């Protein structure tokens, strides 16, 4: 969990470094240590099982986040060809890209 104080600090630093402007309407910060803690928790619950854990690309469509997920050995789940391409561009091995969706045509 990231405290409100930590969030505020990160936002102030981004503003101090000129990374944000008055025209920005949205900003997202990723805390890699929190992401890695959560991925480690998943691994701990399945210790000793031959399981591929995959994170949905649509929930993390930022290359750096996808890179980190793949770097620690998790797969990436893609519901469209665009998401498959994003997963591969992030360096996810083909055998760890899960292409699925409840509504696909044969083509």
């Amino acid at each position: 969990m990231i405290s409100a104080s930590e969030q505020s600090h990160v936002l102030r630093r981004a503003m101090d470094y000129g990374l944000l402007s008055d025209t920005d309407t949205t900003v997202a910060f990723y805390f890699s240590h929190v992401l890695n803690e959560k991925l480690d928790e998943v691994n701990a619950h399945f210790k000793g099982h031959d399981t591929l854990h995959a994170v949905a690309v649509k929930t993390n469509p930022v290359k750096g986040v996808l890179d980190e997920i793949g770097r620690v050995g998790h797969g990436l789940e893609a519901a469209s060809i665009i998401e498959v391409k994003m997963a591969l561009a992030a360096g996810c091995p083909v055998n760890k890209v899960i292409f699925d969706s409840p509504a696909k045509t044969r083509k």
Side-chain angles (χ1 to χ4, degrees):
M1 182 73 165
I2 305 297
S3 70
S5 175
E6 274 184 293
Q7 293 172 39
S8 180
H9 174 74
V10 169
L11 180 59
R12 278 194 307 275
R13 293 291 302 255
M15 292 170 71
D16 290 345
Y17 282 104
L19 300 175
L20 302 174
S21 73
D22 293 341
T23 59
D24 289 323
T25 58
T26 305
V27 62
F29 295 99
Y30 288 87
F31 294 83
S32 60
H33 68 284
V34 174
L35 173 62
N36 286 318
E37 286 172 8
K38 297 301 180 188
L39 295 173
D40 288 345
E41 283 179 33
V42 170
N43 288 339
H45 287 291
F46 289 87
K47 199 169 212 108
H49 293 83
D50 186 22
T51 305
L52 172 62
H53 304 291
V55 177
V57 172
K58 78 174 65 210
T59 64
N60 301 282
V62 176
K63 186 178 180 304
V65 175
L66 299 177
D67 288 343
E68 186 64 19
I69 293 166
R71 188 189 67 72
V72 299
H74 285 248
L76 293 170
E77 181 272 336
S80 69
I81 293 299
I82 297 298
E83 291 177 359
V84 168
K85 290 178 181 180
M86 291 173 70
L88 296 173
C92 189
V94 172
N95 66 333
K96 290 189 176 186
V97 176
I98 310 302
F99 181 50
D100 65 355
S101 176
K104 296 264 189 280
T105 63
R106 289 198 182 273
K107 187 175 180 180

